[in-house]
Amino acid sequence: GEKVEQHESTLSVREGDSAVINCTYTDTASSYFPWYKQEAGKSLHFVIDIRSNVDRKQSQRLTVLLDKKAKRFSLHITATQPEDSAIYFCAASGRAGGYKVVFGSGTRLLVSP
Amino acid sequence: NAGVIQTPRHKVTGKGQEATLWCEPISGHSAVFWYRQTIVQGLEFLTYFRNQAPIDDSGMPKERFSAQMPNQSHSTLKIQSTQPQDSAVYLCASSFSGTGGARAEQFFGPGTRLTVL
């Protein structure tokens, strides 16, 4: 079945810098790639997603890039703020897996002032 | 909109006891998902329903775990003969599944923290 690997377990940046979180997946049939954020002591909430019919999607300070050939996708956060500090989870989903969502292990992003 | 509601928020059971966790999805959402989150294993998919029908339970430990969705307003996850390794935060999420199954934003509940002594 699908496996999603999240390469950075922790990432520390200074406020105002950019942050990039990288993920890879194994199932070429995966077609949907959401990202979720989990702040300390809270549950997950959705931040952005990308579908396989595009290779880039931007929402304000967030951009997701998808490289289907390399089976790799990434979340780029520009002009980071302390409130961006959280654990970010990438995920993948596709028809072959019955559309269940498989999550990566999470990247703890720390934005210091 | 109250969001996804999970009860109880915390549950402590003794080894061998049964635990039932409840989830109320967002009204109008047709897909309900259950996950388990631990420090060691991360976020694990357990099962999901679409229009109350079980679609994929491949993540469920078969012997002691069961999930049901008797109506569109709630789902339950039951763990029989709980073991210490079942201790985790159990998360429920719902989404408007549309035609793409799980290819839609999922809204997560606050979770139920289960502690098995």
Side-chain angles (χ1 to χ4, degrees):
Chain A
E2 173 70 279
K3 288 182 172 50
V4 177
E5 186 172 344
Q6 209 159 335
H7 298 272
E8 299 86 4
S9 58
T10 59
L11 182 60
S12 294
V13 299
R14 299 293 293 271
E15 182 178 359
D17 289 348
S18 294
V20 181
I21 301 172
N22 296 286
C23 291
T24 53
Y25 61 99
T26 58
D27 188 352
T28 53
S30 285
S31 57
Y32 175 65
F33 306 90
W35 289 83
Y36 288 83
K37 176 182 180 182
Q38 186 173 34
E39 296 171 65
K42 297 186 178 180
S43 193
L44 282 77
H45 73 263
F46 171 87
V47 290
I48 192 170
D49 61 10
I50 190 167
R51 287 173 168 76
S52 57
N53 59 339
V54 297
D55 55 17
R56 178 190 178 97
K57 182 175 180 179
Q58 182 174 356
S59 175
Q60 299 182 318
R61 296 185 296 109
L62 304 178
T63 300
V64 181
L65 302 179
L66 174 62
D67 181 344
K68 292 189 289 291
K69 281 187 179 178
K71 288 187 283 186
R72 181 172 57 215
F73 59 116
S74 56
L75 175 66
H76 299 245
I77 308 173
T78 58
T80 53
Q81 302 166 0
E83 51 266 37
D84 294 329
S85 296
I87 300 175
Y88 289 80
F89 292 91
C90 62
S93 170
R95 181 176 178 180
Y99 293 117
K100 76 181 184 190
V101 178
V102 177
F103 284 85
S105 54
T107 295
R108 184 179 296 277
L109 174 64
L110 177 62
V111 181
S112 53
Chain B
N1 188 340
V4 175
I5 298 171
Q6 288 189 252
T7 54
R9 294 292 306 276
H10 302 272
K11 185 170 182 67
V12 180
T13 66
K15 183 179 174 181
Q17 292 184 328
E18 181 177 289
T20 300
L21 313 181
W22 290 69
C23 172
E24 181 178 330
I26 292 172
S27 177
H29 282 188
S30 51
V32 171
F33 306 83
W34 285 96
Y35 299 91
R36 176 169 64 181
Q37 187 174 29
T38 61
I39 298 294
V40 175
Q41 298 294 333
L43 194 56
E44 300 175 278
F45 167 84
L46 294 176
T47 187
Y48 99 88
F49 298 85
R50 187 162 70 239
N51 296 322
Q52 299 172 234
I55 302 298
D56 185 335
D57 68 353
S58 58
M60 294 275 276
K62 292 289 185 262
E63 291 184 352
R64 298 182 295 105
F65 284 58
S66 62
Q68 294 184 333
M69 190 161 184
N71 57 59
Q72 63 186 10
S73 64
H74 88 273
S75 174
T76 58
L77 179 67
K78 183 180 292 186
I79 308 172
Q80 296 177 310
S81 186
T82 53
Q83 303 297 310
Q85 61 264 33
D86 299 331
S87 297
V89 175
Y90 289 83
L91 294 168
C92 176
S94 71
S95 75
F96 171 68
S97 69
T99 58
R103 290 188 302 167
E105 174 183 351
Q106 293 185 22
F107 293 80
F108 282 79
T112 294
R113 181 176 295 279
L114 176 66
T115 302
V116 182
L117 302 176

